[in-house]
Amino acid sequence: MAGSGALLRQCPLLLPQNREGTAYEGFVTAQGRDFCIRILLPTDFQLKNARIECSWRLKKILHGYRHILKQRLHSCPDLVSFMVELKTILEIALKNTQDLHIPWPPEYYSCLVRDLEILGWNKVAYVDTGLTTIKLKAEDSCGRQHLVTLKLNAKYPTEPPDCLVDFPVQFAISWMPQNSLIDIYNQFLAALELLKEFWDAMDEIDGKTWVLEPENPTRSATRRRIAIGNNVSVNIEVDPRHPNMLPECYFLGAEHVVNPLRIKLNNNMHLWDPEISLLQNLKDLLEIDFPSRAVLEKSDFAKDCGICYAYRLDGTTPDRVCDDPRCGQPFHQACLYQWLQGLPSSRQSFNVIFGECPYCNKVRESNENV
């Protein structure tokens, strides 16, 4: 191991804590700043088994460089070499994280705490230790719970925070330097009410039908795949700004079952009534009553994919069915496409591939991306 003199020249503030030279504590310096660090070496001085402890600030700066540091610990022959590498990496990390070493002005904290007190701590769901990330909670007029996450910077309130919400539309706030958190909160409440009808429509669908996908829909999700029966389902895409208008509909299932539904939808489209709920309109136009999950699960609706033998694959359920009424075997789109690609007899036109069903040998087609 290199002598203590070389280490002292490289890191004059890092001092040995025992005679054996296995424990060092002090500071490592980069860009004129000192960072607290402690290094514990094993008795054989093998760096790969060393333990490094540092301040939370240094840990935060080096967070994205941990794998590089681990490699350096394994490759450096001695502590001096490693400290040279550490200082180099620290210099790079500091240049890439300029905001971390610019002290935030005291006015920022006093202003933020004042704004939180005016807003009311009962509306705060979370505050991080650095007072830079805040989550505010709110209820819409139907009692649904919502969160807005605020990412603040040192120039608050001159500059607005970044706002993250679980909305199906963009949430853009109006901001002036004299504004505060309460202005964001009021705009958040107003946005919730604008989306009330959309969430009412989606909640009714989620509560009264069997939604196949997404499995756990977020508040921002505008798509639902609803089970109808006989291995048939419908994908609907709802416009969050106009939730009571006819949504985009795409039927999935065997052609002989799907085609009558398409015809009904086209023939009854003029009957759509924006004064009644989206779900009721779909029922009226398709002349069906969407069955519940409990009813369909007792039937053979929830059959596994005939290729991978799983029901849910990467969050999706089988969405392709053999068109032969005597077969009706369901498949995942991705599984069927792979299967048909592997058949010597299959043929492809653009992104549509034609081949035989794995079960009944009927000619089957599949799109690469649907």
Side-chain angles (χ1 to χ4, degrees):
M1 185 175 174
S4 58
L7 184 61
L8 188 63
R9 285 192 297 273
Q10 286 295 334
C11 301
L13 300 179
L14 186 65
L15 303 176
Q17 301 298 300
N18 58 14
R19 290 183 179 180
E20 294 79 13
T22 57
Y24 291 83
E25 192 168 342
F27 299 89
V28 58
T29 304
Q31 291 194 6
R33 299 178 61 209
D34 298 329
F35 298 93
C36 186
I37 191 169
R38 187 167 183 247
I39 300 172
L40 301 174
L41 300 171
T43 53
D44 59 3
F45 298 106
Q46 291 292 314
L47 283 179
K48 64 181 181 181
N49 297 320
R51 198 172 83 202
I52 299 176
E53 300 171 357
C54 54
S55 64
W56 68 269
R57 189 175 293 277
L58 180 57
K59 192 178 291 186
K60 187 174 182 180
I61 293 168
L62 294 174
H63 178 73
Y65 300 83
R66 285 182 300 177
H67 65 290
I68 299 175
L69 288 171
K70 194 171 182 180
Q71 288 175 351
R72 297 298 186 269
L73 274 173
H74 278 72
S75 61
C76 287
D78 52 51
L79 183 58
V80 178
S81 303
F82 173 71
M83 292 308 297
V84 172
E85 296 275 5
L86 174 61
K87 288 177 71 173
T88 303
I89 294 168
L90 183 53
E91 292 278 352
I92 295 169
L94 283 170
K95 287 177 184 176
N96 293 334
T97 54
Q98 291 294 324
D99 288 345
L100 288 173
H101 65 272
I102 298 174
W104 289 27
E107 295 80 14
Y108 165 82
Y109 298 103
S110 58
C111 180
L112 181 59
V113 171
R114 183 198 66 217
D115 287 354
L116 286 169
E117 287 176 347
I118 294 172
L119 176 66
W121 289 98
N122 61 318
K123 296 180 178 68
V124 179
Y126 168 82
V127 181
D128 72 339
T129 53
L131 290 180
T132 58
T133 301
I134 297 169
K135 292 184 181 182
L136 304 178
K137 56 186 177 181
E139 249 188 32
D140 62 25
S141 57
C142 291
R144 288 178 286 248
Q145 298 288 329
H146 302 271
L147 288 174
V148 55
T149 301
L150 309 179
K151 300 279 189 181
L152 296 101
N153 61 55
K155 295 182 180 178
Y156 176 86
T158 305
E159 293 183 3
D162 292 328
C163 300
L164 307 173
V165 292
D166 189 13
F167 282 6
V169 295
Q170 185 181 5
F171 177 56
I173 62 169
S174 174
W175 186 263
M176 300 287 286
Q178 64 269 25
N179 286 149
S180 67
L181 294 185
I182 197 161
D183 296 292
I184 295 178
Y185 193 77
N186 288 336
Q187 291 178 55
F188 181 54
L189 290 176
L192 293 180
E193 291 313 301
L194 289 175
L195 290 165
K196 174 187 175 299
E197 289 186 351
F198 167 74
W199 285 321
D200 285 346
M202 304 311 268
D203 283 353
E204 184 182 18
I205 290 170
D206 293 339
K208 295 183 178 179
T209 69
W210 183 5
V211 173
L212 300 172
E213 297 164 20
E215 192 174 3
N216 297 299
T218 61
R219 288 292 175 198
S220 59
T222 57
R223 185 184 69 86
R224 295 292 191 274
R225 181 180 164 209
I226 309 170
I228 294 176
N230 295 324
N231 290 308
V232 175
S233 57
V234 60
N235 256 332
I236 64 168
E237 185 75 35
V238 182
D239 183 348
R241 300 184 191 278
H242 306 285
N244 291 329
M245 303 306 290
L246 176 64
E248 195 176 310
C249 297
Y250 178 73
F251 293 97
L252 299 165
E255 191 62 27
H256 68 280
V257 183
V258 162
N259 199 46
L261 291 170
R262 285 200 202 101
I263 293 171
K264 284 181 184 178
L265 182 64
N266 291 330
N267 290 345
N268 296 335
M269 206 174 287
H270 65 284
L271 299 175
W272 188 274
D273 183 358
E275 297 301 316
I276 62 176
S277 76
L278 185 150
L279 181 60
Q280 189 58 52
N281 268 307
L282 287 174
K283 289 179 181 180
D284 294 345
L285 266 62
L286 298 175
E287 298 173 2
I288 61 170
D289 193 3
F290 289 97
S292 68
R293 177 171 188 154
V295 170
L296 284 178
E297 282 191 324
K298 290 177 182 176
S299 69
D300 63 349
F301 181 87
K303 287 173 68 175
D304 294 340
C305 169
I307 296 171
C308 73
Y309 304 114
Y311 179 62
R312 200 169 287 278
L313 177 70
D314 296 331
T316 64
T317 58
D319 52 3
R320 288 293 178 270
V321 180
C322 179
D323 287 333
D324 190 331
R326 294 168 298 180
C327 178
Q329 177 64 48
F331 309 97
H332 293 114
Q333 163 67 30
C335 296
L336 183 61
Y337 188 81
Q338 276 193 330
W339 169 272
L340 296 178
Q341 266 192 322
L343 291 178
S345 58
S346 67
R347 56 190 177 85
Q348 187 161 353
S349 175
F350 297 102
N351 68 330
V352 179
I353 190 167
F354 300 86
E356 295 176 346
C357 169
Y359 286 75
C360 69
N361 296 328
K362 181 181 172 65
V363 173
R364 178 75 191 142
E365 65 179 77
S366 177
N367 294 333
E368 182 177 7
N369 295 304
V370 175

